[in-house]
Amino acid sequence: MAVSLSIRQQQVLGFMLQFLAENDQLPPMSAIAPYFGFRSPNSAQEHVNALARKGFLERNAVGNFRFVRGHVLAASEQAVKA
């Protein structure tokens, strides 16, 4: 069963994948928020939390987000469709 993402979630996912490819780390909320014109990092956090709830991200041992292994390919394919 495919998990559906909103258009904005697909865009945030695509941005996170691109940022990871360019910087070898996921973007901080303070980088996501201005890129999408959000007024605060909390708005970015809500979209990232939704991606985690839908199984695209998980927290590592120290509490930072990372892409779920095996879902990165699916995530990138879904982000490309957006």
Side-chain angles (χ1 to χ4, degrees):
M1 179 176 162
V3 177
S4 64
L5 297 176
S6 71
I7 292 171
R8 180 62 78 188
Q9 289 167 356
Q10 291 174 13
Q11 292 169 342
V12 170
L13 181 63
F15 175 75
M16 292 177 76
L17 287 165
Q18 179 181 353
F19 192 95
L20 176 66
E22 294 172 359
N23 300 288
D24 201 31
Q25 66 181 12
L26 289 179
M29 297 308 132
S30 59
I32 297 172
Y35 182 85
F36 289 101
F38 300 148
R39 291 184 178 203
S40 77
N42 290 339
S43 298
Q45 184 69 55
E46 289 300 317
H47 290 288
V48 171
N49 288 343
L51 291 171
R53 280 192 309 273
K54 293 180 178 186
F56 290 92
L57 299 170
E58 65 184 4
R59 290 200 180 266
N60 63 14
V62 294
N64 296 326
F65 281 110
R66 66 180 187 149
F67 286 108
V68 175
R69 293 180 188 169
H71 285 97
V72 175
L73 180 60
S76 60
E77 289 173 357
Q78 184 143 8
V80 169
K81 292 179 187 176

